[in-house]
Amino acid sequence: MTTDVEYRFHFERQQNGPRRQVRHGNVTLHGVLEKRTPNGRLIDKTRLGSIDLEGLEYDLVKDRDEFWRMTDLYLNLFDVPPEAAEEVCEYLSRVVRPITESEAASHYACSGRLR
């Protein structure tokens, strides 16, 4: 028996109920990361970041930032090796674009002035 672990990632779609649709739109995507044995048996799984499809469509900095914060947190808690975490993040960045330093500075500077 080998101790190798395989990581698999996928998105799950959640159809939002009427109350959630008001603020978040019809569909939310949840990232799910699974640990599996080489023969495919599920060892463990964790949910990574979530993002509303409307957040992707409008490319909102706030939604993307929250997605990446949660993803980083759960990758660390799930004890994913750095190489696997990098591959997962590379794959995720094809769907949810990471925020740039200038976007973060601009977004949080504006938020700070409104408080």
Side-chain angles (χ1 to χ4, degrees):
M1 182 170 190
T2 180
T3 59
D4 291 338
V5 173
E6 183 178 298
Y7 292 91
R8 295 183 186 174
F9 176 81
H10 65 275
F11 280 105
E12 292 179 351
R13 293 172 58 102
Q14 171 189 317
Q15 197 68 31
N16 295 328
R19 289 177 58 194
R20 184 168 168 82
Q21 285 178 3
V22 172
R23 292 187 56 193
H24 300 279
N26 295 330
V27 176
T28 299
L29 292 178
H30 303 284
V32 178
L33 184 64
E34 300 175 340
K35 283 184 188 177
R36 293 187 173 265
T37 62
N39 66 0
R41 186 177 62 81
L42 181 65
I43 298 171
D44 198 3
K45 73 178 185 177
T46 190
R47 193 163 130 180
L48 299 180
S50 299
I51 193 163
D52 303 314
L53 284 185
E54 287 188 7
L56 283 176
E57 180 180 342
Y58 296 113
D59 205 26
L60 301 172
V61 171
K62 175 183 68 93
D63 291 345
R64 291 177 16 237
D65 187 39
E66 179 66 20
F67 176 87
W68 284 106
R69 285 176 190 259
M70 295 307 295
T71 295
D72 288 343
L73 172 70
Y74 287 117
L75 284 173
N76 288 332
L77 290 174
F78 203 54
D79 199 26
V80 177
E83 311 82 46
E86 285 180 29
E87 287 186 41
V88 167
C89 289
E90 183 180 321
Y91 177 79
L92 287 173
S93 68
R94 297 177 195 163
V95 178
V96 181
R97 187 171 60 93
I99 64 169
T100 64
E101 287 183 29
S102 62
E103 285 177 321
S106 175
H107 176 73
Y108 291 111
C110 291
S111 295
R113 283 196 302 257
L114 295 175
R115 289 185 198 162

